[in-house]
Structures are given as structure tokens and as C-alpha cells.
Amino acid sequence: MSNIVIKSVIRRENENDHIEIKLQALFGLVRYHLEIPIAKLKGMELVFKREQSGTPITPGGEGTSEETIDRHTIMRLVEKLNDLLKYTRDLTGIAKQVLCKTRITEWIWTTKLGTGDAVWTAMTTGMAWSAKSSVMGVFSQMVRLQTIPQMDVQPLFNQTSFTTEIVSTAKIRVIQMLVVGVRLIGRIRAVKGGFRAWGRVLLPRRLSRNI
């Protein structure tokens, strides 16, 4: 009956991004921490630094690495996603089940913006409020909100700046994830070549060749 707790902080300040995710499960026996303190655009590529750590039974290892995302990387990800959709019966239905069972217990979304012009700043502030309301309306249909979302937009009339930050906490019971996992295995088995497709996506190339 324990929970998988995922705490995340996503912040964008002008051209810099910062992402931090903490996962805890089985009353703290499983812990994972991922932090991306630097993410910058260089031409058509996104370069980011990643720091991760966790318990010995947490996959992913520990350490710091720098990675680059370009259009070729995105195309490979799209191809892998298409393979999973092709070789798994109703994968989108499984994803919806996970979202429906996810409970959001904390949601704080603050934004500070300024265009350098008072009139445009006021108009942009109104559009930001409208966009946030629309996003939360769609989001509340996908997950279970167990808290009142705290949202704020602060206009900065005397400067040109943009900062937005989302702090959230999501919970889902371990038993619910196990049930979803069993259903996922059953739907993978229902399609010929399903396990091979998942092996090619999840395992390193040198291992997936032997599947």
C-alpha cells in the first residue's frame, strides 16, 4: 500500500532551464534523483548536463554526463515510440490508466514576466493567465488533483525578463503500478514480436541484437 512519490521542479529563467526530479518508493528503500542544471540551445541542438544518483537497486547508475539532442535524436525517439505503439495492443490505454490513478498533491506554478513596455507587459500577463487556466483545465481531466493549484503571474513593468517555475508532487500506489505492469505484459504478449520490440527500445544495442 506504499506510494511512489515523484517530486519535480521545472524552472526556466530567460534562456536557461533547470529540471530536478526526485523519486521515492517502498518507504524510502528506492530513491532516485535526477538533476539537469544546465540546458542551452546551440544552433539547432539542445545541449544539457545531467546529474543522477540513487540506491543500488535503482536503475540508471550515478554520475554526471553531458548530452546533445538534435533532430536525428528526436527522429530515433519517434521511431522507437512508433515501434512500441505498433507492437503493444492499446498502449495509449495503459498510459491513460496510469495517469488516471496518479494523484497530484502539490502544484505551484509561478511566472514573472516583463517586456520592457507597460502596455505589452499587461497584455502578456493576461495571456499568461489564460494559458495557465487552459493547461490546468486539460491537466485536471487527465490526473486526480487532490490540492488546489497555486498559480501566480507577476508583471515586471520596468524590465525585460521571463521566469517560470513549476513545483509539483505526484503519488501513485505501488500495487496500482504492479497491476498496470501485469496488464502491460499481457498486451505485449498479445502482439507477435512485442517483447523483441521492447527489448530493442529499452536494452543497449549490443544486448538487443541477441533478443
Side-chain angles (χ1 to χ4, degrees):
M1 298 302 292
S2 65
N3 288 311
I4 299 174
V5 183
I6 302 175
K7 297 184 177 180
S8 61
V9 177
I10 302 174
R11 180 170 60 250
R12 179 174 181 83
E13 185 172 357
N14 296 324
E15 299 298 326
N16 297 320
D17 299 299
H18 182 276
I19 301 173
E20 184 175 3
I21 299 174
K22 295 181 180 180
L23 183 147
Q24 180 176 320
L26 299 178
F27 304 104
L29 293 177
V30 175
R31 293 188 303 273
Y32 179 74
H33 181 209
L34 172 65
E35 186 171 2
I36 302 177
I38 299 175
K40 293 184 177 181
L41 282 173
K42 290 185 178 180
M44 298 298 293
E45 299 179 347
L46 175 64
V47 181
F48 64 92
K49 179 180 178 183
R50 182 175 66 181
E51 301 175 359
Q52 60 183 7
S53 62
T55 56
I57 61 176
T58 305
E62 298 187 6
T64 301
S65 62
E66 186 172 297
E67 299 183 14
T68 301
I69 297 178
D70 54 16
R71 63 184 183 89
H72 299 292
T73 304
I74 295 176
M75 290 301 297
R76 287 195 297 268
L77 291 175
V78 172
E79 291 176 359
K80 290 181 178 180
L81 179 58
N82 286 332
D83 283 343
L84 296 184
L85 291 172
K86 180 180 178 181
Y87 288 98
T88 308
R89 183 167 59 86
D90 194 21
L91 180 58
T92 55
I94 290 288
K96 289 179 180 179
Q97 290 180 19
V98 174
L99 289 174
C100 289
K101 297 180 183 300
T102 301
R103 311 185 312 276
I104 303 298
T105 59
E106 180 185 27
W107 185 272
I108 304 173
W109 189 358
T110 58
T111 302
K112 299 178 181 179
L113 57 87
T115 63
D117 180 86
V119 176
W120 280 106
T121 297
M123 294 176 60
T124 306
T125 299
M127 289 188 290
W129 272 115
S130 178
K132 284 190 175 186
S133 300
S134 300
V135 170
M136 290 307 304
V138 175
F139 190 59
S140 62
Q141 301 297 320
M142 300 169 59
V143 298
R144 295 163 55 188
L145 285 175
Q146 294 188 333
T147 183
I148 299 176
Q150 302 180 34
M151 299 191 297
D152 186 28
V153 180
Q154 301 179 18
L156 304 175
F157 292 104
N158 299 321
Q159 56 183 298
T160 302
S161 179
F162 176 79
T163 302
T164 188
E165 181 182 67
I166 299 176
V167 179
S168 64
T169 301
K171 296 182 179 180
I172 185 171
R173 294 195 181 279
V174 173
I175 187 65
Q176 292 174 331
M177 287 299 297
L178 290 176
V179 171
V180 171
V182 171
R183 291 177 179 173
L184 177 60
I185 292 174
R187 297 190 181 189
I188 295 174
R189 289 187 59 186
V191 180
K192 185 178 180 180
F195 285 110
R196 290 185 177 180
W198 279 82
R200 289 194 299 268
V201 171
L202 299 180
L203 297 179
R205 290 185 178 180
R206 62 179 182 275
L207 296 178
S208 61
R209 290 173 183 170
N210 300 323
I211 298 179

